[in-house]
Amino acid sequence: MLKLQPNYDGTPRIAELIRAQTTDMEILEAWNGQARLELHPHVFAPLADLPVRRIVSCAHILTNLTLGQPVKVYDYLQ
């Protein structure tokens, strides 16, 4: 994940790449079935511009999980 936090004057105060591991995962339901893909345009993630030729398979998974303590991977301001 990218963590960005500005100072009061608008300059960057925090610009870090962080990661968090998933722990204590409990799968409540899981099944295969039909799916439809809907991509919305976003200025920071132009994923919707990619062509979708076909959907090969789909798995639906409902879980309870805990997101672990985040760890800094890279600090862009240093």
Side-chain angles (χ1 to χ4, degrees), residues 10-38:
T11 60
R13 184 172 80 182
I14 296 174
E16 298 173 340
L17 186 64
I18 60 172
R19 71 173 172 87
Q21 274 189 286
T22 304
T23 59
D24 301 329
M25 185 182 297
E26 175 188 4
I27 298 176
L28 303 175
E29 297 178 24
W31 66 95
N32 293 328
Q34 295 182 347
R36 184 182 320 183
L37 183 62
E38 185 175 344

